[in-house]
Amino acid sequence: MTEQSSRWDVFEFSANGPTEGNPYLEVSFAATFSLDNRQVTVPGFYDGEGVYKVRFCPDTEGEWSFATTSSAKPLAGLKGRLSVGPARANVNGPVRVRNQFHFAHADGKPYLPFGTTCYAWTHQPEALQEQTLKTLAESPFNKIRMGVFPKDYIYNTNEPLYDVYEKRADGSHDMDRPNFECFRHFETQIGRLMDMGIEADIILFHPYDRWGYCTMTEEQDFRYLRYIVARIAAYRNVWWSLANEYDFLLDTKPMERWDRFFHIIEEGDPLRHPKSIHNGDVDKNYDHRKPWVDHVCIQNWDVKKTLAWREASGKPVINDEPEYEGNIAKEWGNISGHELVNRYWLTLCRGGYIGHGETFLDDADELWWAKGGVLRGEAVSRIAFLRKIFEEDAANGLTPLMERGSTFKRVSAVADGEVRYIYFSEHQPVEWALGLPEKDGDYEIDLIDVWNMTVSPLEKAALPKVHPQRITGGSHITNQFAAAFGLKLPGRPFLAVRIRPRRKH
Amino acid sequence: MTEQSSRWDVFEFSANGPTEGNPYLEVSFAATFSLDNRQVTVPGFYDGEGVYKVRFCPDTEGEWSFATTSSAKPLAGLKGRLSVGPARANVNGPVRVRNQFHFAHADGKPYLPFGTTCYAWTHQPEALQEQTLKTLAESPFNKIRMGVFPKDYIYNTNEPLYDVYEKRADGSHDMDRPNFECFRHFETQIGRLMDMGIEADIILFHPYDRWGYCTMTEEQDFRYLRYIVARIAAYRNVWWSLANEYDFLLDTKPMERWDRFFHIIEEGDPLRHPKSIHNGDVDKNYDHRKPWVDHVCIQNWDVKKTLAWREASGKPVINDEPEYEGNIAKEWGNISGHELVNRYWLTLCRGGYIGHGETFLDDADELWWAKGGVLRGEAVSRIAFLRKIFEEDAANGLTPLMERGSTFKRVSAVADGEVRYIYFSEHQPVEWALGLPEKDGDYEIDLIDVWNMTVSPLEKAALPKVHPQRITGGSHITNQFAAAFGLKLPGRPFLAVRIRPRRKH
């Protein structure tokens, strides 16, 4: 009999096998899926009570067949057929790097990451998790950073909904015995995000731990990683974030182990989901130039460096922790919404991407950044506005214009094909020319107030006055503008300008 | 007969000498002033019409004698006596570096530089110069950056009031024949600033030139430098800024020449006025660690680097061009007053100093930054407020507190003895502890709104909640606060806190 599925959906095959001993340690299980002469092997996993599963995300329509392999006789040589139809509506496939510095879904639809952060939301009480999903559904966010393990940290002292590994009588955890219910719940939530069109940026390790999850042996780390990859790699919305603040774990997990982690993921992930790793100390970034890293994921408040990060890595830059909007006593968790919005515009208008988080003091210790719940900040609505602006014309990705003139480095400007955006942040010129088109044309020009969320048309104006002559005396500065026309601006800060060819109506 | 003068005033001795040939090139003149066995030799200069002068600023009270030397017989061996009395009221002597990163007058009075910039104000029409002095008298500024040479640049196309060197029939300038009237006028204005208690930061070279002043031969440069030093080094309020944007002149004046310029100044300047040099490109600073540089003078918008500049140089840091408040089409000349005030607080609360400039578009091209005139910005009144705050308790200088805890790097904090200032800029905590005193005491604590210019008392509060346990798993982060108490804050940005021992009434 032939199973039915759709392109980019999760196909799951289950079989019963041995229960004796510790199947997690002892039983290997995998399946190879074939389409004509093409073969894709995916690892399987033990899900408790003698149930073994493989999950497969078909990237191609057609009549697939599959066969299992296993160290356990009853699980070996099982065969089946899978008929894969077209992707369902609004299913665009996994996100990949495209055009070096940008992302798109497998079907080519541009993907601009607008992520938020709820590190331990799946470990909170069910009601709070439902609230988090409800909030996300109404939010501008299309990606969320979330940890496999619970969090032990300031404002995060409650016990998780489920232990990740089985608890022994003495209260310690047996890192050789997964709590299958915990993993099933975790992937259920990944699936719900998938159905909402939200990418799940899965944080595999982090240092904020009192259960021993971050001090497992190397063997246990590797086994855990193979297991989680086997369980969730078939979800099209998964991203791999090897760690949150990996550098705070370096004395228990040396650098070679992190490199190996990347390899293990690649071994079990035929879809090749985006992989990166996140630093704690701004001076301790992992070397994102290593070939197995797909994009730069950093924590850094100094977003004007976005150009430098692009150039150093040659990869997409996502600043996942440019400091959080909030009011707590921690330096990383108390910037104003206004400043976070400013950092969003600065980052996008320098060709990078940036993530969101909120840390407002709460009597119940329900801070969005770790537990989810509700959003309270002033930035969210402005991020929704910004996302709408940039998705309107998103094509191949935003490329900085700023290097074009040596005097053009402080105001942010990018272009995607013929569409340009200039963001002035703290600058407030009343006339402007840098970054404007060098050849004249029928342009639609808009002034964008990034905080008040208004878009109003602008007319071309004369170029700003330039000095009648070049500067002498060895200076290479010139006051000439390359632009074909200038603009008159209101002379207040936190404005942007969008220039695009006028649309034919 | 004995001349009378006062400590730190300018004593001038004139004599008549040869007029034939070109005395500027051909006649040497100097005087040695003696107090008991101490001798101070100062260079003299030719002032036209056969008049030769030496100027001397006595640093010590007492009965001085002097004798001249010259290559011209009538000017050699002239002798005189000078009785130097105590400094007049409000005369504190020249400014020097004190306590490595700070400044004070020779009599020990702390000097916190609050400078502004009017590059070519002495080359404007008389009425505008009077307006500039009137504006300065009402301003918070106690230092001004000003060039010896006129400026040829955007908004600066008018001819100077006086040529600096004599014009030939063909309109070119004879760099071997100073226009004495121009130099006399320049030092008259330095003297007027001196009487107002304003330091004159004299810019000796700059690239914005159409007269040939910045392309003189090495010999002409050296002679010019010896001449200006002989003329003005006796004014106690002089600082030497070898150049504005020296790096734009490097292809006509190689690095060795800049080094030599410093030496020539030292040879003619017994008071040893503060010396530095200013860059154009933020990546092309002169090496301020060279021993003849007294303080770091830079152009850089990224004021959060102030700590790094201090550490790299081990010298006082003055950021002379953190971008100007204004609205012109140049990136360096159009930040908001709010942002400039923010950069002031960030810089002072990281142990540095920062300069002011204004570039508002003007129909008459009268922009303060180059021509002086009137101030229009919103920052000036806030700078006056800030200056008053910091001078209230100024003693030995502000030392950053931020390195104390590795997690304390993003909010700015400094201490001068027992007085502490914490500046939150874009941060808006509702509770706080970092940088607060580690031992309890009777403190006067004030909340400062840096933009609205209000100061309101704060009470001690409990320390912010900390995590009940240290983080495990190899992280070295701890949530403990070293402070003896905490503060409750309003949760809005751009606030500062001052903590000082309560004054006995």
Side-chain angles (χ1 to χ4, degrees):
Chain A
M1 163 252 188
T2 300
E3 309 263 7
Q4 302 296 323
S5 188
S6 304
R7 191 184 188 200
W8 305 130
D9 281 353
V10 180
F11 168 71
E12 180 176 287
F13 172 77
S14 306
N16 291 311
T19 56
E20 61 277 14
N22 185 342
Y24 175 70
L25 301 184
E26 297 153 14
V27 178
S28 73
F29 185 55
T32 298
F33 289 76
S34 306
L35 182 65
D36 301 332
N37 291 306
R38 179 178 172 213
Q39 295 194 323
V40 179
T41 298
V42 293
F45 61 93
Y46 184 58
D47 200 28
E49 289 113 24
V51 178
Y52 294 75
K53 295 177 174 171
V54 282
R55 290 174 179 156
F56 175 60
C57 178
D59 59 10
T60 312
E61 298 174 42
E63 304 308 308
W64 294 75
S65 62
F66 62 90
T68 65
T69 58
S70 175
S71 58
K73 268 230 157 9
L75 294 170
L78 305 173
K79 292 186 164 39
R81 304 198 153 280
L82 175 65
S83 176
V84 176
R88 293 176 299 114
N90 305 318
V91 174
N92 306 101
V95 168
R96 276 112 187 232
V97 172
R98 184 178 64 166
N99 300 331
Q100 185 174 4
F101 293 109
H102 304 287
F103 299 93
H105 289 277
D107 71 352
K109 184 187 178 194
Y111 175 79
L112 280 62
F114 287 95
T116 188
T117 308
C118 303
Y119 288 120
W121 77 277
T122 63
H123 295 287
Q124 305 310 313
E126 294 278 8
L128 185 54
Q129 294 189 45
E130 291 308 311
Q131 175 61 68
T132 302
L133 289 165
K134 186 168 171 300
T135 302
L136 284 171
E138 296 154 2
S139 83
F141 302 117
N142 61 8
K143 177 166 131 349
I144 183 169
R145 287 174 58 73
M146 51 192 278
V148 176
F149 295 116
K151 189 177 178 74
D152 176 64
Y153 193 55
I154 186 170
Y155 315 122
N156 289 265
T157 56
N158 56 323
E159 279 300 309
L161 183 62
Y162 303 102
D163 293 321
V164 183
Y165 286 87
E166 282 183 16
K167 206 178 259 154
R168 299 192 188 90
D170 67 0
S172 69
H173 293 250
D174 182 347
M175 304 309 181
D176 294 330
R177 296 188 177 276
N179 176 6
F180 303 109
E181 188 176 15
C182 179
F183 284 92
R184 281 193 290 263
H185 171 74
F186 187 69
E187 60 210 20
T188 297
Q189 300 300 51
I190 292 173
R192 292 176 71 183
L193 293 169
M194 180 173 75
D195 295 340
M196 294 163 68
I198 297 174
E199 302 293 301
D201 197 352
I202 305 299
I203 296 165
L204 296 162
F205 295 97
H206 70 73
Y208 306 107
D209 173 66
R210 67 171 177 266
W211 304 274
Y213 298 139
C214 77
T215 48
M216 297 191 291
T217 65
E218 181 175 80
E219 188 187 355
Q220 288 169 331
D221 278 348
F222 290 164
R223 192 180 297 115
Y224 151 73
L225 208 50
R226 289 196 182 88
Y227 188 72
I228 188 77
V229 168
R231 289 197 74 115
I232 68 174
Y235 291 79
R236 63 179 175 268
N237 61 323
V238 162
W239 295 36
W240 306 113
S241 182
L242 268 72
N244 193 61
E245 300 183 334
Y246 87 101
D247 46 315
F248 297 154
L249 286 167
L250 276 175
D251 52 6
T252 55
K253 302 186 199 301
M255 189 60 83
E256 316 76 66
R257 203 188 297 185
W258 294 103
D259 295 347
R260 180 68 188 129
F261 287 163
F262 277 100
H263 306 162
I264 288 172
I265 292 169
E266 291 192 335
E267 288 159 17
D269 176 25
L271 289 184
R272 305 188 77 80
H273 294 288
K275 296 184 300 304
S276 194
I277 180 168
H278 171 276
N279 60 291
D281 185 320
V282 293
D283 303 322
K284 297 218 181 97
N285 289 353
Y286 182 88
D287 182 357
H288 291 109
R289 296 169 307 168
K290 291 181 178 177
W292 42 80
V293 178
D294 295 302
H295 60 282
V296 174
C297 169
I298 48 169
Q299 166 173 197
N300 200 308
W301 57 265
D302 193 2
V303 300
K304 285 185 176 177
K305 290 187 181 150
T306 300
L307 272 176
W309 299 326
R310 273 173 58 114
E311 286 159 10
S313 66
K315 297 179 183 183
V317 170
I318 303 180
N319 190 344
D320 274 314
E321 228 184 292
E323 298 180 328
Y324 303 126
E325 180 181 7
N327 62 10
I328 61 172
K330 296 285 190 178
E331 292 180 293
W332 45 260
N334 58 28
I335 64 169
S336 67
H338 191 281
E339 175 60 13
L340 184 58
V341 171
N342 182 44
R343 292 180 187 181
Y344 263 75
W345 280 88
L346 283 169
T347 300
L348 272 92
C349 289
R350 290 168 182 242
Y353 302 97
I354 180 167
H356 168 270
E358 262 189 26
T359 45
F360 285 96
L361 207 58
D362 179 68
D363 294 338
D365 279 352
E366 288 179 9
L367 283 67
W368 174 263
W369 123 96
K371 295 184 179 176
V374 295
L375 288 164
R376 312 168 186 201
E378 299 181 292
V380 179
S381 58
R382 279 79 183 189
I383 293 166
F385 172 75
L386 169 148
R387 180 181 171 184
K388 192 175 153 303
I389 296 273
F390 282 98
E391 288 190 339
E392 219 172 282
D393 294 282
N396 298 308
L398 297 163
T399 301
L401 294 169
M402 297 161 67
E403 294 98 330
R404 285 198 178 178
S406 67
T407 62
F408 186 24
K409 284 183 180 157
R410 312 187 195 193
V411 165
S412 309
V414 283
D416 183 347
E418 289 198 277
V419 183
R420 295 172 183 232
Y421 308 85
I422 301 172
Y423 177 54
F424 292 94
S425 56
E426 69 271 33
H427 297 272
Q428 52 173 21
V430 291
E431 52 180 17
W432 192 252
L434 292 170
L436 296 176
E438 280 153 34
K439 59 182 197 321
D440 207 351
D442 183 16
Y443 294 105
E444 181 183 315
I445 308 170
D446 289 298
L447 180 70
I448 299 166
D449 183 321
V450 306
W451 186 252
N452 297 309
M453 299 182 280
T454 59
V455 179
S456 42
L458 279 180
E459 295 306 317
K460 290 181 198 170
L463 282 170
K465 168 160 65 177
V466 298
H467 191 283
Q469 62 188 95
R470 279 185 63 95
I471 293 161
T472 58
S475 167
H476 298 304
I477 287 181
T478 166
N479 287 304
Q480 308 309 315
F481 289 112
F485 55 87
L487 292 175
K488 296 258 176 263
L489 298 169
R492 23 173 247 276
F494 306 111
L495 299 174
V497 167
R498 174 183 56 197
I499 307 100
R500 57 187 179 185
R502 192 176 303 283
R503 293 169 173 156
K504 309 285 162 276
H505 298 295
Chain B
M1 165 253 188
T2 301
E3 309 262 6
Q4 302 295 322
S5 187
S6 304
R7 192 183 188 202
W8 305 131
D9 280 353
V10 181
F11 170 70
E12 181 176 286
F13 173 78
S14 307
N16 290 312
T19 56
E20 62 275 16
N22 185 343
Y24 175 70
L25 302 184
E26 297 154 15
V27 179
S28 72
F29 185 53
T32 300
F33 288 77
S34 305
L35 182 67
D36 301 331
N37 290 306
R38 180 178 171 214
Q39 295 193 323
V40 180
T41 297
V42 294
F45 62 93
Y46 184 57
D47 200 28
E49 290 111 25
V51 178
Y52 294 76
K53 295 177 175 171
V54 280
R55 290 176 179 152
F56 174 61
C57 178
D59 60 10
T60 311
E61 296 174 44
E63 303 308 309
W64 293 75
S65 61
F66 63 89
T68 64
T69 57
S70 176
S71 58
K73 267 232 161 1
L75 295 170
L78 304 173
K79 291 186 166 40
R81 305 198 152 279
L82 174 65
S83 175
V84 176
R88 293 176 299 111
N90 304 318
V91 173
N92 307 101
V95 169
R96 278 109 186 233
V97 171
R98 185 178 63 167
N99 300 332
Q100 187 176 2
F101 293 109
H102 304 286
F103 299 94
H105 289 277
D107 71 353
K109 185 186 178 195
Y111 175 80
L112 281 61
F114 287 93
T116 188
T117 307
C118 304
Y119 288 121
W121 76 277
T122 64
H123 294 288
Q124 305 310 313
E126 294 279 9
L128 186 54
Q129 293 189 46
E130 292 307 312
Q131 176 61 70
T132 303
L133 289 165
K134 186 167 171 302
T135 303
L136 284 170
E138 296 155 359
S139 83
F141 301 118
N142 61 8
K143 178 167 129 352
I144 182 169
R145 286 174 58 75
M146 51 193 277
V148 176
F149 295 116
K151 188 176 179 76
D152 177 63
Y153 193 55
I154 186 170
Y155 315 122
N156 289 266
T157 56
N158 56 322
E159 279 301 308
L161 183 63
Y162 301 104
D163 294 320
V164 183
Y165 287 87
E166 281 182 18
K167 204 177 260 154
R168 298 193 189 87
D170 67 0
S172 69
H173 293 251
D174 181 348
M175 304 308 181
D176 293 332
R177 294 189 178 276
N179 176 7
F180 304 107
E181 190 177 13
C182 179
F183 284 93
R184 280 192 293 261
H185 172 73
F186 188 69
E187 59 210 19
T188 298
Q189 300 300 51
I190 293 173
R192 291 177 71 183
L193 293 169
M194 180 172 74
D195 296 339
M196 294 163 67
I198 297 174
E199 302 293 301
D201 198 351
I202 305 299
I203 295 165
L204 296 162
F205 296 97
H206 70 73
Y208 306 108
D209 173 66
R210 68 171 175 264
W211 303 273
Y213 298 139
C214 76
T215 48
M216 297 191 291
T217 65
E218 181 175 79
E219 189 189 354
Q220 288 170 329
D221 278 348
F222 290 165
R223 192 180 298 114
Y224 150 73
L225 209 50
R226 288 197 183 88
Y227 187 71
I228 188 77
V229 168
R231 290 199 72 116
I232 67 174
Y235 291 80
R236 63 180 175 267
N237 62 323
V238 162
W239 294 36
W240 305 114
S241 182
L242 268 71
N244 192 63
E245 301 183 333
Y246 88 99
D247 46 314
F248 297 154
L249 286 167
L250 277 174
D251 52 5
T252 55
K253 302 186 201 299
M255 189 60 83
E256 316 74 68
R257 203 189 297 186
W258 294 103
D259 296 345
R260 179 70 186 124
F261 287 163
F262 277 101
H263 305 164
I264 288 173
I265 292 168
E266 292 192 337
E267 288 160 15
D269 176 25
L271 288 185
R272 306 188 76 80
H273 294 288
K275 296 184 300 302
S276 194
I277 180 168
H278 170 276
N279 60 291
D281 185 319
V282 294
D283 304 322
K284 297 219 183 99
N285 290 353
Y286 182 88
D287 182 357
H288 291 112
R289 296 170 305 171
K290 290 180 179 178
W292 42 79
V293 178
D294 295 302
H295 59 283
V296 174
C297 169
I298 49 170
Q299 167 173 198
N300 200 307
W301 57 266
D302 194 1
V303 301
K304 285 184 178 178
K305 290 186 181 151
T306 300
L307 271 176
W309 299 325
R310 274 174 56 113
E311 286 159 10
S313 66
K315 297 179 182 184
V317 170
I318 303 180
N319 190 342
D320 274 314
E321 230 184 290
E323 298 181 327
Y324 303 125
E325 179 181 7
N327 61 11
I328 62 173
K330 297 285 190 176
E331 291 180 294
W332 45 260
N334 57 27
I335 64 169
S336 68
H338 191 281
E339 175 60 15
L340 184 58
V341 170
N342 182 46
R343 291 180 188 182
Y344 263 75
W345 280 89
L346 283 169
T347 300
L348 271 92
C349 289
R350 289 168 183 241
Y353 302 97
I354 180 167
H356 168 269
E358 262 188 26
T359 45
F360 285 95
L361 208 59
D362 178 68
D363 295 339
D365 280 352
E366 287 178 9
L367 283 66
W368 173 263
W369 124 94
K371 295 183 179 177
V374 295
L375 288 163
R376 311 166 186 203
E378 298 181 293
V380 180
S381 57
R382 278 79 182 189
I383 293 166
F385 171 75
L386 168 148
R387 180 182 171 184
K388 193 174 152 304
I389 296 272
F390 282 98
E391 288 191 340
E392 218 172 285
D393 293 282
N396 298 308
L398 297 164
T399 302
L401 293 170
M402 299 160 69
E403 295 98 324
R404 285 196 179 180
S406 68
T407 62
F408 186 25
K409 285 183 180 155
R410 311 185 195 193
V411 165
S412 309
V414 282
D416 184 347
E418 288 196 277
V419 184
R420 294 170 182 232
Y421 308 87
I422 302 172
Y423 177 54
F424 293 95
S425 55
E426 69 271 30
H427 297 272
Q428 53 173 21
V430 291
E431 53 180 15
W432 193 252
L434 292 170
L436 295 177
E438 280 153 35
K439 58 181 196 324
D440 206 350
D442 183 17
Y443 294 105
E444 181 182 313
I445 308 169
D446 289 297
L447 180 71
I448 299 166
D449 183 321
V450 306
W451 186 252
N452 297 309
M453 298 183 282
T454 58
V455 179
S456 41
L458 280 179
E459 294 306 316
K460 292 179 197 170
L463 282 170
K465 169 161 61 178
V466 297
H467 190 282
Q469 61 187 97
R470 278 187 65 91
I471 293 160
T472 58
S475 167
H476 298 304
I477 287 180
T478 167
N479 287 304
Q480 307 310 316
F481 289 112
F485 55 88
L487 292 176
K488 297 258 176 263
L489 299 169
R492 25 175 245 275
F494 305 111
L495 299 175
V497 167
R498 175 182 57 197
I499 307 99
R500 57 187 179 186
R502 191 176 304 283
R503 293 169 173 158
K504 309 286 162 273
H505 297 295

